Structures are given as C-alpha cells and as structure tokens.
Amino acid sequence: MSAPAKNDPAVKPANFLRTLIERELQEGVYAQRQWGGSPGDAGHHAAGAADPARVRLRFPPEPNGYLHIGHAKSICLNFGLARDFGGVCHLRFDDTNPEKEEQEYVDAIIEMVQWLGWDWHSDFGGAKATHLYYASNYFDFMYRAAEHLVERGLAYVDEQSAEAMRASRGDFTTPGTDSPWRGRSVAENLARLREMRAGNHADGSMVLRARIDMASPNINLRDPALYRIKRAHHHNTGDTWCIYPMYAFAHPIEDALENITHSICTLEFEDQRPWYDWLLARLIEGGLLQGPAPKQHEFGRLNLSYVITSKRKLKALVDEQIVDGWDDPRMPTLAGMRRRGYTPEAVRKFAEDTGASRTNIWVDYGVLDGALRADLEGKAGRAMAVMDPLPLKLTNWDELFGAGHLEPCSTPAHPQLPELGQRAFSLGPEVWVERDDFAEVPVKGFFRLFPGNKVRLKYGMVVECTGCEKDADGRVSAVLARVIPDTKSGTPGADAVKVKGTITWVGLHDGLAATFNLYNRLFTEAQPEAGGRDFRSVLNPASKRVVTGFVEQSLARAPADQRFQFERHGYFVTDRLDHRAGAPVFNRITGLRDSWAA
C-alpha cells in the first residue's frame, strides 16, 4: 500500500512539530546522532541503526479497544510528518496490560491504520523494511533494566497495600511519605524482585518502584511503580510472564530501543516527561541504552463535539448493548466510521486541517462532516431512492402509450464524471414517490404534488396532480395524476412545459426494495460529559431509525461498501456487512448539508 501523497507544504496548516523538525534539520541534529549496535540484546536498536540522520516517529496504540477519531489525528500526525521529511514511522503495540488486551484489538488496529492509507512495510525514503513492533517483544530487556535499577539503588520492592501506597503519595499540596520498605538493601530488593519474577508471591502483594523523590512537586516522580505481579495470559507472550511492566516504565524504553527521534503524545503526558527523561538518562548512564535519548513532545488533544473518545466508555456502550458493537456506524471508532461510509481521504483531510497545537481544542462535528461532503461530492455516484413510499398513479398512461409500455430514462451516474457511464431505468404507469411530496392542502411555498399543480418527475415527464385515494382510515393510499403533453409538440412531458417543482421517484415495476439505516449523532449534547454528567443521560433516542423503501434499478448490482448520493436525501453507503444482492441495505453517511447547524 502506498502512503498518501505529500501535500504542498505551503498550504499546510500551522504545526509547531513540523517547525521544530525543520529547524532541527537545518541545524544538522540528526546527522550528529551516533546510534550504536546492540549491546547484547537482539532487539536493541534493531529499528535501523544504519540511518541515524532520519526522522523516526511511532504510533503506539494500546491494544485494549478499537481506534477512534482521536487516534486518527495521532496516526496522521506521526505518519504524515515521517512522510513529509522522508523519515520512518513505526506501528508499535504498547501491550503491557494483558488483562485488557486482546488479539481482536491488535487485528482491528492494523486494519484501520491500513484503511487510513498508511504503511509500515517501508520507510518514506524508499527502503523496504517492516516497522511493526510490540512492547512485549522487549520484555526480557525491560526486566534486565529493572534489575539494573535495583542494583544501582534506584529501585526497590514495596510491599504496602495499594491503598497505603496511594495515601503515602500525598497530593498537589502535600508531599509524599517514604514507604517503610524504601530502605531495604540492594541484595534484599534484588532477591524480592527475582521472587516476583519466579511467581513466588500473590498478585498485587508487592510492586517494584523507582527510588526518586517522595517530596517532588511532580507526583509522577514520587517513586513511580515499574512492575506489578499479574497472572494473566498475554496475547503475544502467552504465560511466560507473571509480572508485567507499567506503561510509563515500558514506553520510554520502547522509544529508545527503536531509535525514535520524536516521541509525540497528547498533553496529558506532559507531567510524565520528567519521568521519561529521568529513566532514559539512568539507563544510558548505566550502559544499557545508548544515547542520545528520544525527546517527548506533547500536542493538544482533539475533542470533537457530540462524541466521547474514552475507550473505557466506548467499551461500556458496546458491553451494555447501547450500540451494536465497536463497528456500529454511530460510534466514533474508525471501524464504525468506515461502516457508516466515511472515506479515509476525508478523515485524513480533517486530521490535517485541524493541525497540531500546544493546547487542547474543541472542533464542531460539522467540520468533519464538511470534509466528508467535500470528498463525496466529487466521487459518489448519483441515484434516486424513496424512503417513505406512496404510489403515484398516472391515470392517462395507457391512453397515451398503450398498456404495458415503459418509457426508458437515462442520466449520467455522476454529472462531472463521464467515465462512470450512464444509469438506466424506466418510467411506467405507477411510480413510488415520497409521502411528504404530496399535500391535499399545500402550505405557502409548496411546489410539489397537490390537486391542480404540475411537477416534473426527474429525468422523466411532467404530470399534473388530480387528487388522491384514501384507505378506510382516511389515510392517503395513492396520489393520482395525469401526464401532461407539450401543448406545441404533443410529446408527453417535453421540456417546454414549465413547472416550479421537480420530484424524485422510483418505478413500481422495477424498483428494488431496500432497507435504510438512518443514522444520526449518538448524543444530543455537544459535550456529553460536561459538568461531570453520565454520558448515558444524553443519548439521542433518534440516533438510529430503520425504514424500508425502494431504490432505482441501476443499483441492482451495487457491491457492498459503495457510496452514493441519493438525490434529495444525502449520502449513503451499501452496508459492508449486511448488504446482499437482492436485499440491499444502505447506511446514511450524512446529509447534503449540515442539518444540525440550524
């Protein structure tokens, strides 16, 4: 898979990270890097020590859920910067928490990064190499690093309860207090750590902590935990380990082992940077890693209105069956957005246009939909669909054409893309129209079907409404009309007949019965969790509505995952899972304009 094309830098939005890299390139920072070979560890610096002058970034998801729109921002930022500067970007799984991680999530993440158009099977300078990594592949090295810290008196085994440890950390106004186990000898700590590794102690009974400063104003430096005991099956290492490194301990090591130059993360990790730097400095001083160390840089998280992006809360939506799975089209997951019909090009454009800043930002959902509509307008084929069908009977059809006649109609599949060809269908004595296209007593400005009014059946003929039929309950069951010939030529429905209204339709004789999933925003409030409220309290009861109707015959062989603009209704996609030949299922992607803006 080839990477998305490099855009013109002159039109790129402001991005302090791009400015930083450009300055470093001018200063020759990367040319000065002296990556060494592996110091006794097969994984160390295995990511390309031969090319020290390269910008090297990474996208490091935890495989504990599906990727969402916020991840798309990070993916496009990291891979995009690597592309722009001819560097390398790794896909790396930070799989240090086996309790919450599954192979399903690993597979889904790989699939979605590829769907967005990014590739880790080569670098952006043309060299072929597979840059796919797992934190779990470095577990041996991480454990050796833990023993090294213990041997240097920089780590100790703490046997306090979790509650006692939490209380002893203090808070932003109160310094922490030393653990009663903090003064153990190196030999005692090393023996205890090896007992943890051997499985001699119960889960949660002790942890390995760094020995830094319990009075530090940065709580992250108050002896952070490095390893905990957890007997859990790991998707990659199986049952090899019963202790697992903490994310904050593992992540800097992974960056260093992979020769990462810029460790880009969101602002909530800003307070973790001193710990990141402390750990790498100690491991470089001790000879376990070779410098220079990677540098962490933070950017503002992208918050999208009407969306939540906490994986824990998204998982709650799935587990509580509020939605129909991680790929439910109402979900902000990339799998859900793909099934909804979003294009990778639109998502990438959105990510690029929102830039990277040093502050968290809120972006209206309409901006994302605007990028989507702009992309779909130039590529989605057109078609007609009726979603609230009402029969329209042309009472003088047989008189004008003879019984059984069908009038052929055709029009371009896309008005600006002649290469897509023509769509063909036919007009007969009865057609389906939208129920709201008829009114017995019209309101002012209504130019569609009402007794005495003329309208054009799009791509077909001009008809004049003569009345309607009703069922036993008084509900309109059919609209009646007659075809109007051109008064000059006598040709039925010729263009010379002037009308104010044009309506879409589908023939009764060849229309395809179809199911339409009409999706809307999952929440009724722009910030579902504002004020600490439970996001469940603002769920939109109208976020999904299923209706049945008809589509024109030209869609008879439409494959799954194909997008269309249904004239009048908006953009739709054939459902990638439920769509079948003869039983089409369409998901509404978005309207022709932002209906929420009003």
Side-chain angles (χ1 to χ4, degrees), residues 476-487:
V476 175
S477 57
V479 180
L480 305 177
R482 55 189 295 271
V483 177
I484 301 298
D486 185 321
T487 55

Side-chain angles (χ1 to χ4, degrees), residues 317-456:
L317 290 173
V318 175
D319 292 345
E320 295 169 24
Q321 298 182 347
I322 295 171
V323 296
D324 300 324
W326 287 98
D327 64 348
D328 187 301
R330 294 167 291 179
M331 290 279 273
T333 58
L334 296 182
M337 294 174 70
R338 176 178 62 168
R339 190 171 176 190
R340 175 80 170 259
Y342 279 76
T343 64
E345 294 83 1
V347 175
R348 290 200 307 268
K349 182 69 164 57
F350 172 74
E352 183 70 36
D353 286 352
T354 51
S357 69
R358 298 179 186 273
T359 58
N360 292 325
I361 60 172
W362 276 92
V363 177
D364 187 82
Y365 199 97
V367 176
L368 174 59
D369 262 4
L372 176 64
R373 280 190 290 270
D375 186 49
L376 292 175
E377 168 63 25
K379 64 177 59 169
R382 286 10 180 199
M384 290 191 294
V386 175
M387 299 178 195
D388 188 7
L390 180 65
L392 170 65
K393 298 180 181 180
L394 303 177
T395 55
N396 62 341
W397 184 271
D398 290 353
E399 174 189 338
L400 291 174
F401 302 106
H405 175 77
L406 298 176
E407 185 71 13
C409 303
S410 67
T411 189
H414 191 291
Q416 283 82 47
L417 299 176
E419 63 271 22
L420 295 184
Q422 297 284 113
R423 21 191 281 243
F425 41 91
S426 58
L427 182 63
E430 292 189 41
V431 299
W432 295 110
V433 297
E434 294 290 351
R435 181 170 290 275
D436 63 6
D437 277 343
F438 173 74
E440 285 189 89
V441 180
V443 297
K444 184 178 180 180
F446 186 86
F447 299 118
R448 287 167 279 170
L449 291 166
F450 59 88
N453 193 47
K454 299 181 181 68
V455 300
R456 183 177 301 281

Side-chain angles (χ1 to χ4, degrees), residues 241-255:
W241 294 88
C242 63
I243 61 171
Y244 289 95
M246 305 299 290
Y247 172 87
F249 174 69
H251 190 87
I253 293 175
E254 298 156 32
D255 284 346

Side-chain angles (χ1 to χ4, degrees), residues 238-294:
D239 298 317
T240 302
W241 294 88
C242 63
I243 61 171
Y244 289 95
M246 305 299 290
Y247 172 87
F249 174 69
H251 190 87
I253 293 175
E254 298 156 32
D255 284 346
L257 291 178
E258 294 177 15
N259 296 343
I260 298 303
T261 58
H262 300 78
S263 181
I264 299 173
C265 55
T266 47
L267 276 175
E268 63 262 36
F269 291 97
E270 184 176 19
D271 289 342
Q272 287 277 4
R273 192 186 337 133
W275 157 247
Y276 183 103
D277 294 340
W278 183 95
L279 175 62
L280 293 184
R282 299 309 179 276
L283 296 181
I284 290 171
E285 288 169 4
L288 264 72
L289 292 173
Q290 293 180 334

Side-chain angles (χ1 to χ4, degrees), residues 15-34:
N15 183 327
F16 75 94
L17 293 166
R18 184 176 290 113
T19 302
L20 170 70
I21 295 173
E22 287 172 346
R23 184 179 69 247
E24 290 174 341
L25 286 171
Q26 291 173 355
E27 295 172 353
V29 171
Y30 309 120
Q32 301 167 14
R33 302 180 78 86
Q34 298 295 320

